[in-house]
Amino acid sequence: MLATESTTPSEQPQAAKPLLETWSENERMRHIPSIEWLIEKLDVDIRRRIGKLLTPFTALAGDDPRRAPIESALRTLCRALDRVADVARPSRNAYVPADVLGRVNWSLDHAITSLRSVDPNLFGRRYPFQTFERSKAEPLYGAFLTVLAATERLVPHVRAIDPSIDEHLYEHLVRLQEPLREQPMA
């Protein structure tokens, strides 16, 4: 008998203790944006940027030496988009186009569809510490940042074909409410 044990034999066994934390009640991680923001960024901003970057690429001849680095960068972008889709929702890909342009559009649509299947209520919340698991939000956001980096790595290759690509990429940033007048003001 130990000095810390109770000497009365009438003690009742204790009921199972409740979990210390639950996933749905944990706070959101501040370094992870919401799933709605990720979907909007991918569907609106990245889709628009990729479309503008692909326009000069489609005008290139098949034997142009500038085509190979762009195709390599596009394949890297497709792998990054596929990684986002796999982290968001692991699934089997039935048909993946072999053409680079078709593959980019397919990968982008597949990543957006997979992101829309993620529960926005639980995304970004920390797992309960007693499960000893990592949240799925951190690897997903990391894969999303890889997509952003792959898109930016594509710009210098396209700039070699079209030096005015930066103007096209940033034309949405400034919107004049009244267009400039043709004649001088002073």
Side-chain angles (χ1 to χ4, degrees), residues 53-84:
L53 290 170
L54 288 179
T55 303
F57 175 72
T58 56
L60 280 179
D63 59 346
D64 195 321
R66 298 175 291 183
R67 190 173 180 90
I70 295 175
E71 282 186 5
S72 174
L74 286 173
R75 292 189 194 286
T76 302
L77 176 63
C78 289
R79 281 193 301 274
L81 287 167
D82 292 342
R83 177 74 179 138
V84 167

Short mmCIF file of all heavy atoms in Angstrom, two decimals, residues 53-84:
data_model
loop_
_atom_site.label_atom_id
_atom_site.label_comp_id
_atom_site.label_asym_id
_atom_site.label_seq_id
_atom_site.Cartn_x
_atom_site.Cartn_y
_atom_site.Cartn_z
N LEU A 53 -0.28 35.17 -69.68
CA LEU A 53 1.05 34.64 -69.96
C LEU A 53 1.03 33.62 -71.10
O LEU A 53 2.03 33.45 -71.80
CB LEU A 53 1.63 34.00 -68.70
CG LEU A 53 2.03 34.97 -67.59
CD1 LEU A 53 2.35 34.21 -66.31
CD2 LEU A 53 3.20 35.82 -68.01
N LEU A 54 -0.09 32.96 -71.30
CA LEU A 54 -0.18 31.96 -72.37
C LEU A 54 -0.42 32.58 -73.74
O LEU A 54 -0.16 31.95 -74.76
CB LEU A 54 -1.28 30.95 -72.06
CG LEU A 54 -1.00 29.97 -70.94
CD1 LEU A 54 -2.19 29.06 -70.73
CD2 LEU A 54 0.25 29.16 -71.22
N THR A 55 -0.93 33.81 -73.78
CA THR A 55 -1.24 34.45 -75.05
C THR A 55 0.00 34.57 -75.95
O THR A 55 -0.06 34.16 -77.12
CB THR A 55 -1.90 35.82 -74.82
OG1 THR A 55 -3.06 35.63 -74.03
CG2 THR A 55 -2.26 36.49 -76.13
N PRO A 56 1.14 35.09 -75.49
CA PRO A 56 2.32 35.14 -76.37
C PRO A 56 2.88 33.74 -76.67
O PRO A 56 3.44 33.51 -77.75
CB PRO A 56 3.35 35.95 -75.58
CG PRO A 56 2.61 36.63 -74.51
CD PRO A 56 1.39 35.83 -74.25
N PHE A 57 2.70 32.81 -75.76
CA PHE A 57 3.21 31.46 -75.97
C PHE A 57 2.49 30.76 -77.11
O PHE A 57 3.12 30.03 -77.88
CB PHE A 57 3.08 30.65 -74.66
CG PHE A 57 3.47 29.21 -74.81
CD1 PHE A 57 4.79 28.85 -74.97
CD2 PHE A 57 2.51 28.22 -74.79
CE1 PHE A 57 5.15 27.53 -75.10
CE2 PHE A 57 2.86 26.89 -74.92
CZ PHE A 57 4.19 26.55 -75.08
N THR A 58 1.19 30.97 -77.23
CA THR A 58 0.44 30.30 -78.29
C THR A 58 0.80 30.83 -79.67
O THR A 58 0.60 30.13 -80.67
CB THR A 58 -1.07 30.46 -78.07
OG1 THR A 58 -1.39 31.85 -77.97
CG2 THR A 58 -1.51 29.75 -76.81
N ALA A 59 1.35 32.05 -79.74
CA ALA A 59 1.73 32.62 -81.03
C ALA A 59 3.09 32.13 -81.51
O ALA A 59 3.44 32.36 -82.66
CB ALA A 59 1.73 34.14 -80.94
N LEU A 60 3.83 31.44 -80.65
CA LEU A 60 5.16 30.95 -81.04
C LEU A 60 5.04 29.77 -82.00
O LEU A 60 4.12 28.95 -81.91
CB LEU A 60 5.94 30.49 -79.82
CG LEU A 60 6.62 31.53 -78.97
CD1 LEU A 60 7.32 30.87 -77.80
CD2 LEU A 60 7.61 32.33 -79.77
N ALA A 61 6.01 29.69 -82.89
CA ALA A 61 6.10 28.53 -83.79
C ALA A 61 6.57 27.31 -82.99
O ALA A 61 7.21 27.44 -81.94
CB ALA A 61 7.05 28.83 -84.93
N GLY A 62 6.28 26.14 -83.49
CA GLY A 62 6.65 24.91 -82.78
C GLY A 62 8.14 24.69 -82.68
O GLY A 62 8.62 24.03 -81.76
N ASP A 63 8.92 25.22 -83.63
CA ASP A 63 10.37 25.00 -83.62
C ASP A 63 11.14 26.18 -83.03
O ASP A 63 12.36 26.23 -83.11
CB ASP A 63 10.86 24.70 -85.03
CG ASP A 63 10.56 25.84 -85.99
OD1 ASP A 63 9.75 26.72 -85.64
OD2 ASP A 63 11.13 25.84 -87.10
N ASP A 64 10.46 27.12 -82.42
CA ASP A 64 11.11 28.28 -81.81
C ASP A 64 11.89 27.83 -80.58
O ASP A 64 11.37 27.09 -79.74
CB ASP A 64 10.05 29.32 -81.40
CG ASP A 64 10.66 30.68 -81.11
OD1 ASP A 64 11.76 30.72 -80.51
OD2 ASP A 64 10.04 31.68 -81.47
N PRO A 65 13.16 28.24 -80.45
CA PRO A 65 13.96 27.80 -79.28
C PRO A 65 13.47 28.38 -77.96
O PRO A 65 13.82 27.85 -76.90
CB PRO A 65 15.38 28.29 -79.61
CG PRO A 65 15.22 29.33 -80.64
CD PRO A 65 13.95 29.04 -81.39
N ARG A 66 12.68 29.43 -77.98
CA ARG A 66 12.16 30.01 -76.74
C ARG A 66 10.99 29.22 -76.18
O ARG A 66 10.55 29.45 -75.07
CB ARG A 66 11.73 31.46 -76.99
CG ARG A 66 12.87 32.36 -77.41
CD ARG A 66 12.38 33.73 -77.76
NE ARG A 66 11.59 33.66 -78.99
CZ ARG A 66 11.06 34.71 -79.60
NH1 ARG A 66 11.22 35.91 -79.09
NH2 ARG A 66 10.35 34.57 -80.70
N ARG A 67 10.50 28.27 -76.94
CA ARG A 67 9.33 27.50 -76.54
C ARG A 67 9.65 26.47 -75.44
O ARG A 67 8.85 26.24 -74.54
CB ARG A 67 8.74 26.81 -77.76
CG ARG A 67 7.41 26.17 -77.53
CD ARG A 67 6.85 25.66 -78.85
NE ARG A 67 5.57 25.04 -78.67
CZ ARG A 67 4.41 25.67 -78.72
NH1 ARG A 67 4.40 26.97 -78.99
NH2 ARG A 67 3.29 25.04 -78.53
N ALA A 68 10.82 25.86 -75.50
CA ALA A 68 11.18 24.79 -74.55
C ALA A 68 11.24 25.26 -73.10
O ALA A 68 10.68 24.59 -72.21
CB ALA A 68 12.51 24.16 -74.97
N PRO A 69 11.88 26.41 -72.78
CA PRO A 69 11.87 26.82 -71.37
C PRO A 69 10.48 27.17 -70.85
O PRO A 69 10.17 26.93 -69.69
CB PRO A 69 12.79 28.05 -71.32
CG PRO A 69 13.35 28.24 -72.66
CD PRO A 69 12.74 27.26 -73.59
N ILE A 70 9.64 27.70 -71.73
CA ILE A 70 8.28 28.04 -71.30
C ILE A 70 7.49 26.76 -71.04
O ILE A 70 6.75 26.67 -70.06
CB ILE A 70 7.58 28.93 -72.35
CG1 ILE A 70 8.31 30.27 -72.44
CG2 ILE A 70 6.13 29.15 -71.99
CD1 ILE A 70 7.79 31.18 -73.52
N GLU A 71 7.66 25.76 -71.90
CA GLU A 71 6.97 24.48 -71.67
C GLU A 71 7.42 23.84 -70.37
O GLU A 71 6.61 23.29 -69.63
CB GLU A 71 7.21 23.53 -72.84
CG GLU A 71 6.38 23.83 -74.04
CD GLU A 71 6.52 22.78 -75.13
OE1 GLU A 71 7.22 21.77 -74.91
OE2 GLU A 71 5.93 22.98 -76.20
N SER A 72 8.70 23.94 -70.08
CA SER A 72 9.21 23.39 -68.82
C SER A 72 8.61 24.13 -67.62
O SER A 72 8.21 23.49 -66.63
CB SER A 72 10.74 23.50 -68.80
OG SER A 72 11.25 23.10 -67.57
N ALA A 73 8.54 25.45 -67.72
CA ALA A 73 7.95 26.23 -66.62
C ALA A 73 6.45 25.93 -66.49
O ALA A 73 5.92 25.89 -65.38
CB ALA A 73 8.18 27.72 -66.84
N LEU A 74 5.77 25.70 -67.60
CA LEU A 74 4.35 25.36 -67.55
C LEU A 74 4.13 23.98 -66.93
O LEU A 74 3.16 23.78 -66.20
CB LEU A 74 3.74 25.41 -68.95
CG LEU A 74 3.50 26.80 -69.53
CD1 LEU A 74 3.06 26.72 -70.98
CD2 LEU A 74 2.48 27.56 -68.71
N ARG A 75 5.01 23.05 -67.22
CA ARG A 75 4.89 21.73 -66.59
C ARG A 75 5.12 21.81 -65.08
O ARG A 75 4.47 21.12 -64.30
CB ARG A 75 5.85 20.74 -67.23
CG ARG A 75 5.47 20.41 -68.65
CD ARG A 75 6.30 19.27 -69.22
NE ARG A 75 6.16 19.18 -70.65
CZ ARG A 75 5.09 18.73 -71.29
NH1 ARG A 75 4.06 18.31 -70.60
NH2 ARG A 75 5.05 18.68 -72.60
N THR A 76 6.05 22.68 -64.66
CA THR A 76 6.27 22.90 -63.23
C THR A 76 5.02 23.50 -62.59
O THR A 76 4.62 23.11 -61.49
CB THR A 76 7.47 23.84 -63.03
OG1 THR A 76 8.61 23.25 -63.64
CG2 THR A 76 7.74 24.07 -61.56
N LEU A 77 4.40 24.44 -63.29
CA LEU A 77 3.16 25.03 -62.79
C LEU A 77 2.06 23.99 -62.68
O LEU A 77 1.31 23.96 -61.70
CB LEU A 77 2.73 26.17 -63.72
CG LEU A 77 1.40 26.85 -63.40
CD1 LEU A 77 1.47 27.54 -62.04
CD2 LEU A 77 1.04 27.83 -64.49
N CYS A 78 1.97 23.09 -63.66
CA CYS A 78 0.95 22.02 -63.60
C CYS A 78 1.20 21.09 -62.42
O CYS A 78 0.25 20.68 -61.75
CB CYS A 78 0.95 21.23 -64.91
SG CYS A 78 0.29 22.13 -66.29
N ARG A 79 2.46 20.77 -62.16
CA ARG A 79 2.76 19.91 -61.00
C ARG A 79 2.38 20.61 -59.70
O ARG A 79 1.88 19.97 -58.77
CB ARG A 79 4.24 19.52 -61.00
CG ARG A 79 4.59 18.42 -61.96
CD ARG A 79 5.98 17.86 -61.70
NE ARG A 79 7.03 18.84 -61.80
CZ ARG A 79 7.65 19.19 -62.92
NH1 ARG A 79 7.30 18.65 -64.05
NH2 ARG A 79 8.62 20.09 -62.90
N ALA A 80 2.61 21.92 -59.62
CA ALA A 80 2.24 22.67 -58.42
C ALA A 80 0.72 22.69 -58.25
O ALA A 80 0.21 22.52 -57.14
CB ALA A 80 2.80 24.08 -58.48
N LEU A 81 -0.01 22.89 -59.35
CA LEU A 81 -1.47 22.88 -59.28
C LEU A 81 -1.99 21.49 -58.90
O LEU A 81 -2.95 21.37 -58.13
CB LEU A 81 -2.07 23.32 -60.61
CG LEU A 81 -1.95 24.81 -60.93
CD1 LEU A 81 -2.27 25.07 -62.39
CD2 LEU A 81 -2.85 25.62 -60.03
N ASP A 82 -1.37 20.45 -59.43
CA ASP A 82 -1.78 19.09 -59.07
C ASP A 82 -1.51 18.79 -57.60
O ASP A 82 -2.26 18.08 -56.95
CB ASP A 82 -1.06 18.06 -59.95
CG ASP A 82 -1.52 18.13 -61.39
OD1 ASP A 82 -2.59 18.71 -61.66
OD2 ASP A 82 -0.79 17.60 -62.27
N ARG A 83 -0.44 19.36 -57.07
CA ARG A 83 -0.13 19.19 -55.65
C ARG A 83 -1.20 19.85 -54.78
O ARG A 83 -1.60 19.29 -53.76
CB ARG A 83 1.25 19.78 -55.35
CG ARG A 83 1.65 19.73 -53.91
CD ARG A 83 2.01 18.35 -53.47
NE ARG A 83 2.40 18.39 -52.09
CZ ARG A 83 2.06 17.50 -51.19
NH1 ARG A 83 1.35 16.45 -51.54
NH2 ARG A 83 2.43 17.61 -49.95
N VAL A 84 -1.67 21.03 -55.18
CA VAL A 84 -2.76 21.69 -54.45
C VAL A 84 -3.99 20.79 -54.45
O VAL A 84 -4.65 20.59 -53.42
CB VAL A 84 -3.08 23.07 -55.06
CG1 VAL A 84 -4.39 23.62 -54.52
CG2 VAL A 84 -1.96 24.04 -54.79
#
